[in-house]
Structures are given as structure tokens and as C-alpha cells.
Amino acid sequence: KRQILAAGLGTRMRPLTEFRAKPALPVQGRPVISLLLSVLAQHGIRDVLINLHHRPDSIRSAVERDHPPGLAIHWSEEEQPLGTGGGIRRAAEFLRAAPHCLVLAGDMLLDLDLTALADRHRRSGRDVTLVLREDPRGADFGTIGVDERGSLTRIGRRILRDDAHGKEREGLFTSVRFFAREALEGWPSEEAFEDLRDWLAPRVRSNKTRVGAEFVGPQDSVWEPVGTPCEYLAANLAPPELPSLGGAVERWRGALRPPASAAPGTASSVIARNAEVALDARLEECVVWDRSRVPAGFVGHRGVFAGDTFHPLGATAADCGARSARPGATS
């Protein structure tokens, strides 16, 4: 059983999330959540639950249009945001149907050997396994620490255990976590809560839940956040290879205008095939969504055309800051 957390409000992605929820935003012509579902399907996963809150119809529509055949989709719509932990608790009955389950966020480009990681989780005997990435961006996103036995010792700056064995190893949290069926218990009393901070951290401190980590490196994993406008633009303009989906972007992208047929002055942009772009429009490093219309004489730089509205996202790549650094991305 698998769950994708897709109920966030997307406040950091505004104004784009005023039109669609983050997991429904198109990257290279395909919704982020559809790319995640395709990766899951490549690892033999056939049963997925997606939780919803903000603009739920945009996610439902995206999944209905673009998901792998044979994949059973279940929905959990939240009247009020429940946080990552509350969303997992609400899905607990679904997740407990299997001895082990996987939970991940819906606002990133991800490609990992989930089959091997699931096997390592099962063989470890842990209740919960967090997948951490050796990544220089940990300084910007925060890190999680484990000891030499792979047991959780720290979340960010919060020390959970003083009896660590050996030197600490740290990594960036990919949002991928595996749970044994027995771990889905001991919930906080609050209706809305976060899973790491409010649920798992107290249980680690009281020795009620065995939480550890498995590490992946840049050479055998893809993790690119799509949580801010700058990250979104970078994901479109410099997409990573996704080995599970064939590798190069040409193997997994959606219905886009090929550069040769794009209007003059728009070759550096990502334009949906069914968008309307005036012949004299000039777009530099822009994303044009499906069914959008770019009027005659328009000039845009580093932004997104959503519907009939242009949203500038930054004058230069440097405006995005260190959080949008993309080591290993292809141009």
C-alpha cells in the first residue's frame, strides 16, 4: 500500500497554486503527481491512496488524464488540512492492509530504487525507515541524523537520543518513509499534526518506535523539490533524467511544442502543445500551460503563463538562491 501526501495549501508556490494544487502543476507537460505515479508503477506498485484538500479537483483531473494503466487510485479528501501526520492517521486503515507501506510527498520529482529500499526496510526490523539523501542542499533544507547503527538521533537541530552509537551520519530527508503495520499507532491527541515532529520524535525519545534511515546518493537517486516558483521553473527548464521512466526528458515529457515548431523567440521555453502563442510573442525561459493564450506583442522573461495571465517568477536564475541549485540536472 502506498500513500501520496497531496493536501498541502501550497502557500510557497503562490500565485500558481491559486490555479492548481502543487501536485497538479505541469513539469515538461505532465503533472508532478502523474510522474510520481509512473515511478511507483515501475516498481510494481498497484494500489495508491492520495489525500486531498487544496483545489482537489485539479489533482483528480490530472490523475484521471495521466496515470499508469492497472494502478488503483483511492482518495482521502480532508475538509481541513490535517498535516502530514494527520493525513497518515486518516489513511491508516488503508495502509494497514499490507504488512509494510510507503508514504511520500506529492510536490517533487523523485526517482529511487524503491524496490531495493523496501527490501532493506523489511530486513532491518525497524518500525519506520526514513530515506535520506547525501546532498549538499541539506544545509538549506535541513538534515536528519542517524548513528552508526542507522537509528534516528536528530531531526534538524532537535536531539532525540543521547545514547547514539558512534559518529553521526546526516542526510536530507527525501520525504520517502516506510512503515511497518505495527508502527501506525500511538497518534497525538491533536487533529492536525506533523509526522516527524509531533508523532515519531516523541516515540523515539520514549523508545516506543524504532526509527532509522537508509541512505541514497546523487548517483543513484533523483530528488528535485517543486515547492516554490523558482524550484518549479528550474524543474521545467533544467529537468533531471528519470531512469525509471526511460532517462532523458524526451522519454517522459508530455505533449509539448517541439522547439522547431515554436514561435520565433520562444525556443528556450516549455510550451504546451495546445497553447496558443502569437507569432510575434517573445518568451525567454518561460512555461506556458495547456490551453493558455499568449497575446500578440507579448514579451515575457522567466515566468509562467497560466490561463491568460503571465506570472513573472524572477529576473535571473540567481534570484532563486541556493535552494534551487540543481546538481546533475540536464539542460
Side-chain angles (χ1 to χ4, degrees), residues 58-76:
S58 67
I59 298 178
R60 290 180 187 271
S61 177
V63 171
E64 288 169 2
R65 292 195 314 269
D66 183 356
H67 72 273
L71 190 65
I73 306 293
H74 309 264
W75 305 99
S76 175

Side-chain angles (χ1 to χ4, degrees), residues 164-250:
H165 297 273
K167 185 178 179 181
E168 181 187 76
R169 185 181 182 186
E170 66 177 18
L172 181 154
F173 182 39
T174 63
S175 98
V176 176
R177 55 278 238 192
F178 294 91
F179 295 94
R181 176 190 288 148
E182 296 76 16
L184 297 169
E185 62 180 17
W187 312 104
S189 58
E190 298 82 4
E191 184 177 5
F193 59 93
E194 301 305 316
D195 61 327
L196 296 186
R197 180 191 65 207
D198 303 324
W199 172 39
L200 294 179
R203 294 186 69 79
V204 169
R205 284 196 294 265
S206 61
N207 293 317
K208 293 180 179 178
T209 301
R210 295 165 296 173
V211 181
E214 293 291 340
F215 281 81
V216 295
Q219 71 284 351
D220 57 4
S221 66
V222 174
W223 181 85
E224 297 296 344
V226 188
T228 68
C230 280
E231 290 169 357
Y232 175 71
L233 196 60
N236 272 282
L237 299 180
E241 294 188 354
L242 298 176
S244 295
L245 305 187
V249 63
E250 292 79 12

Side-chain angles (χ1 to χ4, degrees), residues 2 41 43 50 83-84 106 108 116 175 187 237 254 272 279-280 284 297 303 318 323 328:
R2 307 297 183 260
H43 288 275
I50 303 170
T84 54
M108 59 187 173
S175 98
W187 312 104
L237 299 180
L279 290 177
D280 64 345
E284 183 181 359
R323 287 174 68 91

Side-chain angles (χ1 to χ4, degrees), residues 299-320:
V299 178
H301 174 69
R302 291 189 65 81
V304 174
F305 241 105
D308 298 329
T309 306
F310 182 71
H311 304 278
L313 302 183
T316 66
D319 292 335
C320 291

